[in-house]
Amino acid sequence: QVISVKAVAIALKLSFSESNQFIYVQTWFFIFVVIICCLVQLNYLNKALDSFNTAVVSPVYYVMFTILTILANMIMYKDWVSQSATQIATQLCGFVTIVAGTFLLHKTNTSSTDRHAESAPTPPPPPPPPDQICVQG
């Protein structure tokens, strides 16, 4: 989807520069792919949110989206061909940091809710039955 969005954005940029790209079938194909991908993605995201907790779905969605976007850019646009080893290592470290941070946020969020449930105060005892209440009089 990201590659298709990038292709549509480039087509729009070129069209605004007086080089109409909407006369080509490829432009309409990429627009179609973007629409279909958005519909499918929303459908499955809603199904996932119905089945699982948001604290699980969001990190998985974010990490998978990031991984697939990086891989698609590597394949389609050969982003890393012109970069040095230092730049590639820096990008990989940033990616690992994002994945680790997302995992830790999810893990600490889950464990803090578990601890909160364990440390909740005990409810007060129920009142005595009506026949045991003493009436002063």
Side-chain angles (χ1 to χ4, degrees):
Q1 174 185 0
V2 173
I3 301 303
S4 298
V5 169
K6 195 169 185 177
V8 172
I10 291 169
L12 284 171
K13 178 183 169 191
L14 290 173
S15 294
F16 289 136
S17 303
E18 298 180 10
S19 175
N20 188 9
Q21 298 298 305
F22 291 97
I23 59 174
Y24 300 110
V25 176
Q26 294 90 340
T27 303
W28 292 104
F29 171 76
F30 284 122
I31 291 172
F32 179 73
V33 168
V34 168
I35 292 170
I36 295 299
C37 284
C38 286
L39 292 174
V40 169
Q41 193 172 12
L42 284 174
N43 180 39
Y44 281 105
L45 187 59
N46 282 331
K47 286 182 181 182
L49 288 171
D50 286 342
S51 301
F52 302 101
N53 188 358
T54 306
V56 173
V57 173
S58 295
V60 169
Y61 176 75
Y62 178 72
V63 169
M64 289 302 297
F65 182 82
T66 305
I67 289 171
L68 294 174
T69 301
I70 290 172
L71 288 175
N73 278 322
M74 284 173 49
I75 294 167
M76 190 79 165
Y77 296 105
K78 298 178 182 162
D79 279 348
W80 290 356
V81 170
S82 61
Q83 294 179 345
S84 68
T86 305
Q87 291 171 325
I88 293 171
T90 303
Q91 286 179 347
L92 287 174
C93 287
F95 174 71
V96 168
T97 302
I98 289 171
V99 172
T102 304
F103 173 76
L104 288 174
L105 281 173
H106 170 66
K107 192 67 173 165
T108 56
N109 185 17
T110 303
S111 62
S112 67
T113 56
D114 292 343
R115 278 186 300 217
H116 179 67
E118 291 173 1
S119 66
T122 57
D131 59 344
Q132 293 181 359
I133 296 178
C134 295
V135 178
Q136 290 179 350

